[in-house]
Amino acid sequence: MFRKLLITAALATILVQTATGQVNYRYKKTGSFPAEAEIRFSHGLLPLTYDFDLDLFSWDCDFVPPSVTDQYYGAQSYRGNRYNTGSLNIGHSVKVAKWLELGATFSYVGSYQNIYSSLDNRVIDRETSSSLFFTPTVRFAWFNREWVRMYSSVGLGVGVMVKHPYSNSQSATAAEPYIEWGPSIQLTGFGISVGKRLFWFTEVQTVGTLGVFIMGAGFRISPDKRGWRR
Amino acid sequence: MKAFKLLAIAAAMFAVTSCVIEEGGYKPRPTAAGHLIYRNTESRIRSLTTIADLAIKLDKYIVADETERMNLTARFFPNNAPSFSAGTWSFQNSYFTIQPDSKSLHETGAKWNITSTVPFFSGYSAMEPGNFQIECTGTNTWRIIPNGSIESSHFSTTPELSFTGNAPIPANSNPYALYDYSVTGEGHFTPFEYGYKSESLIIDYEIKSPFIIVIRNISGNYVNIFDRMMAKSGKCDMIVTDTEKPAVRDNVTGEIINASSSVPSLKITFNGVSEIWN
C-alpha cells in the first residue's frame, strides 16, 4: 500500500512538472511566457486525517457489549476535549496558463486530547496525532481579473500520520504508537483570491486533508506582468 | 513590514480556526469502577444463594408426601416441576441438576451436588456453569463450595459461603420464599457479562457484615429467578487484581445502607474515595 502511495505521489509530481515544462517550453518559444509563481500560507478547518471516524456514517446497529474489564478501566478515566490545529499549509504554484496553475502543498495537522482520572481529575495520559501531507495540486481559474480570481482545484498526494493513542483496554499492545500512510486528497469547489502581489484567499466547498474551509494569504512573483493579462 | 503583516494575519487566522473538534467524553463518577465491582460481587453472592435455595426447597419437596408435593410445586416450582431419574433431580425449563446423598439437606452432614450446565445471569452480571457442593453444617445452616475445579480458560470461581436460613416464611406471606438468608463467607471470581469477552480481572471478596438476602414476592422460573433475590443489608470488602496488569490492586468496599427503604442505598468506597449510590 505504501509503495502504491509513493508511486502515486511521484507520478503526480512528475506529471505536474512535465506539464509545467511543456507549457514553459511553448511560451519560451513565443517569448511571451506569463511567468508567475505564488507562495501561499493558509490554515484549514477540520481537515480529514486518517483517524477520522468512518463509523459516524455506519448504519450497522450491532451492539457488542464491552467486557467487564474494559468497563472497569473505562470507568476510571474520561476524555477531555480534543483540540486540533487545523491544517497548517504552505503551498507553491506556477501559473502555466491564464486559467491553469500547477503546484504542491505541504500540510501539518496536529491534535491532542487529555485523558483524566475520574477519581481525582488529574491528567493521566494524552492522546496525540501528527499528520504531514504532500499534495500536488491543479488549480483552474475560471474568473480572472487583476484584483480578483476565482478558481476550483483538485489535489492528490500522499500523507503520513503518527499517532500516540490511549487505550484503557487490558491489552498491553493496544496503546502502542503507530504510523499510518495514506493518500492526501483535496477537492475545492470554490476559491477566491483578492489582491495582486500580496493577496488574501479563501476556499469553501472543500473536502480533504487540507480542511473544509481554508483561509490564507500569499504573494505572487510575476517578473513579466504583461503575461498574466493574456 | 509586509512579512510582519502576513505573519500577523496568519496568527489571527490560526487563533480563530484552531478548534475543539470533539467534546470531552462522559465523566464517570469517581467510584463508578468500585460500583461495577460491587454490583458484580453482590450478583455473584445472590446467584450462589439462589442455587443453595433451590436445593433447600427441593429437600422440602423430597421429604413431603404427594399432596404436599403438589402444593410445594405450585409454590416453589410453578414453571420448573422437579423430576427424579437415575439418582438425579432435574427441573423443567431449567439447566440445574441436583444429586442428593442419603440425608435430608436439613440434616447436619448432608452433602448434595448441584450442577448447572449454562451460565446464569443476574441483571447484567453472569456466573459460569459448574459443579457446587452444598453441605448442611447445623440447624438451618448450610455452606456452598465448588465441587472440584470450576476454573476455565477465562473464568474462575472459588466461593465458600455460609447460609443461615432465618425463620421459615409462611406461604401466605410470600409463596416463593422458604427462608430469608444471612450470608457470610468469602471467595474470588472473574466477573463477566453478556458479551463473554476475554476477562482478566479477579475479584477477591470477603463479607464483613452478613448479607441479608430476601426473596421478593414476584413470579418467575429458575432461568430468570435470580432477580428475585435482593440484598437488604450487608457489607463486603473487595480487592481487584488483573492477571495481565500486575500493578493493579484496587480496594473496594460496598455497604448497603438505608436498609429499611424499598430501594436500599449503597455506600461505595473505591481506593479511599466514598460515595453514596441510590
Side-chain angles (χ1 to χ4, degrees):
Chain A
M1 181 62 186
F2 175 56
R3 190 176 296 171
K4 286 179 182 174
L5 289 169
L6 273 183
I7 291 170
T8 305
L11 277 176
T13 308
I14 290 166
L15 289 173
V16 165
Q17 291 303 318
T18 305
T20 305
Q22 295 299 316
V23 175
N24 284 351
Y25 176 72
R26 183 161 61 85
Y27 280 105
K28 272 182 180 172
K29 282 190 76 174
T30 61
S32 57
F33 169 60
E36 182 181 283
E38 64 180 40
I39 294 178
R40 293 177 170 222
F41 300 92
S42 63
H43 185 239
L45 192 66
L46 299 178
L48 295 180
T49 50
Y50 304 137
D51 51 356
F52 183 75
D53 189 3
L54 290 171
D55 289 343
L56 290 173
F57 303 107
S58 171
W59 291 94
D60 187 1
C61 293
D62 288 347
F63 172 70
V64 180
S67 68
V68 176
T69 306
D70 284 345
Q71 288 181 61
Y72 180 68
Y73 291 119
Q76 294 181 56
S77 64
Y78 66 97
R79 291 172 177 269
N81 291 338
R82 186 171 170 214
Y83 295 94
N84 190 285
T85 62
S87 67
L88 302 169
N89 314 308
I90 180 168
H92 174 260
S93 64
V94 175
K95 187 168 186 174
V96 297
K98 184 179 178 181
W99 54 274
L100 182 64
E101 292 178 29
L102 302 173
T105 303
F106 278 103
S107 308
Y108 168 81
V109 181
S111 72
Y112 79 94
Q113 187 172 35
N114 283 340
I115 312 296
Y116 298 92
S117 162
S118 56
L119 199 61
D120 53 14
N121 298 317
R122 67 190 160 82
V123 177
I124 55 174
D125 206 343
R126 176 174 289 177
E127 187 172 271
T128 63
S129 74
S130 298
S131 302
L132 290 170
F133 299 105
F134 171 67
T135 316
T137 304
V138 180
R139 193 177 296 130
F140 308 96
W142 38 266
F143 181 85
N144 268 298
R145 294 293 182 272
E146 188 170 1
W147 278 84
V148 179
R149 296 180 193 182
M150 296 182 194
Y151 57 86
S152 301
S153 68
V154 57
L156 175 64
V158 65
V160 60
M161 181 183 72
V162 181
K163 178 134 186 167
H164 292 258
Y166 168 78
S167 172
N168 56 27
S169 163
Q170 70 265 39
S171 168
T173 58
E176 288 293 312
Y178 63 88
I179 295 175
E180 190 170 344
W181 294 87
S184 171
I185 301 168
Q186 181 67 25
L187 304 172
T188 299
F190 176 79
I192 181 169
S193 67
V194 179
K196 292 176 73 177
R197 187 157 183 264
L198 181 64
F199 63 95
W200 163 89
F201 72 95
T202 188
E203 295 175 358
V204 294
Q205 295 180 340
T206 69
V207 62
T209 46
L210 274 64
V212 298
F213 175 75
I214 299 167
M215 213 162 51
F219 58 91
R220 298 189 178 105
I221 304 166
S222 50
D224 181 3
K225 291 191 176 178
R226 289 170 302 171
W228 87 268
R229 293 196 185 89
R230 286 169 57 88
Chain B
M1 191 60 188
K2 282 184 177 176
F4 176 75
K5 281 183 182 174
L6 203 62
L7 281 174
I9 291 169
M13 285 188 309
F14 180 75
V16 170
T17 53
S18 175
C19 62
V20 175
I21 59 169
E22 186 182 309
E23 291 289 330
Y26 165 74
K27 181 188 171 190
R29 293 178 64 171
T31 59
H35 184 253
L36 174 75
I37 296 302
Y38 173 80
R39 193 180 72 189
N40 273 274
T41 304
E42 191 204 285
S43 293
R44 180 67 54 131
I45 292 168
R46 282 191 284 115
S47 297
L48 290 162
T49 306
T50 301
I51 293 174
D53 179 63
L54 177 64
I56 292 163
K57 285 173 176 169
L58 179 66
D59 181 58
K60 285 287 185 188
Y61 177 89
I62 291 172
V63 298
D65 58 28
E66 279 302 316
T67 308
E68 184 62 16
R69 281 189 174 188
M70 288 178 64
N71 292 334
L72 290 175
T73 299
R75 182 181 174 188
F76 296 141
F77 316 108
N79 302 304
N80 312 97
S83 59
F84 185 71
S85 174
T88 299
W89 287 89
S90 56
F91 302 85
Q92 281 184 342
N93 307 315
S94 181
Y95 298 95
F96 294 101
T97 57
I98 295 178
Q99 291 176 297
D101 65 4
S102 58
K103 293 181 179 178
S104 161
L105 199 53
H106 284 77
E107 190 177 333
T108 302
K111 292 179 180 176
W112 290 18
N113 291 324
I114 307 174
T115 302
S116 65
T117 54
V118 297
F120 32 94
F121 296 91
S122 173
Y124 290 109
S125 306
M127 196 169 108
E128 60 274 27
N131 299 314
F132 298 91
Q133 183 187 77
I134 182 167
E135 177 184 359
C136 180
T137 56
T139 305
N140 282 357
T141 302
W142 299 269
R143 180 181 71 152
I144 193 166
I145 56 173
N147 187 11
S149 174
I150 303 181
E151 296 193 9
S152 66
S153 57
H154 291 316
F155 313 112
S156 66
T157 294
T158 307
E160 183 172 334
L161 296 182
S162 293
F163 306 89
T164 299
N166 300 322
I169 296 169
N172 58 5
S173 172
N174 181 348
Y176 304 107
L178 178 58
Y179 302 107
D180 290 339
Y181 297 97
S182 296
V183 184
T184 58
E186 60 189 32
H188 75 257
F189 67 101
T190 297
F192 72 103
E193 294 182 354
Y194 285 104
Y196 289 98
K197 298 281 185 63
S198 174
E199 304 280 4
S200 58
L201 296 182
I202 293 178
I203 302 174
D204 283 276
Y205 64 92
E206 184 179 359
I207 297 174
K208 289 295 186 182
S209 174
F211 275 84
I212 304 301
I213 294 181
V214 302
I215 300 172
R216 292 185 290 174
N217 190 355
I218 55 175
S219 61
N221 59 37
Y222 267 94
V223 175
N224 60 12
I225 200 172
F226 297 95
D227 286 333
R228 254 195 207 164
M229 294 280 184
M230 181 180 178
K232 293 286 285 182
S233 66
K235 182 179 180 181
C236 186
D237 283 352
M238 293 146 280
I239 296 173
V240 184
T241 53
D242 190 327
T243 55
E244 296 185 6
K245 291 183 176 178
V248 172
R249 185 178 175 86
D250 296 319
N251 294 295
V252 182
T253 299
E255 182 178 8
I256 299 171
I257 58 176
N258 193 18
S260 59
S261 167
S262 59
V263 182
S265 300
L266 287 174
K267 181 183 178 185
I268 301 293
T269 303
F270 180 63
N271 287 338
V273 176
S274 297
E275 281 187 312
I276 304 297
W277 289 71
N278 292 311

